[in-house]
Amino acid sequence: ALLLQGKLAEAEPLLVNSARQFSATLHYERRLALQRLVELYEQQGNAALAKRYRDELATVAQQARTR
């Protein structure tokens, strides 16, 4: 909700924490957190971090398909 409200600074630590919490899993929540981090960094204009999380999301999606 914070991301949609444009509260990027407040959303960032929550999303990063969510992605870390689910880092050992392929859960929907992890993919959702990664997608939101991509959106957050795109809105901030931070292409490097957006790419980092987009790449991580692609890896997680690939792993989920092969299981």
Side-chain angles (χ1 to χ4, degrees), residues 45-60:
N46 190 333
L49 282 174
K51 181 184 180 330
R52 172 184 168 190
Y53 287 105
R54 190 178 302 108
D55 291 347
E56 187 174 340
L57 180 60
T59 299
V60 169

Side-chain angles (χ1 to χ4, degrees), residues 14-65:
L14 297 173
L15 292 171
V16 169
N17 186 46
S18 292
R20 285 184 186 147
Q21 276 186 314
F22 297 110
S23 66
T25 68
L26 301 175
H27 287 289
Y28 170 78
E29 290 87 358
R30 179 177 181 209
R31 291 185 303 230
L32 186 59
L34 292 171
Q35 288 171 340
R36 289 182 176 162
L37 280 167
V38 170
E39 291 175 29
L40 174 114
Y41 291 123
E42 285 176 344
Q43 288 182 26
Q44 288 182 337
N46 190 333
L49 282 174
K51 181 184 180 330
R52 172 184 168 190
Y53 287 105
R54 190 178 302 108
D55 291 347
E56 187 174 340
L57 180 60
T59 299
V60 169
Q62 179 63 33
Q63 290 172 345
R65 282 192 291 269

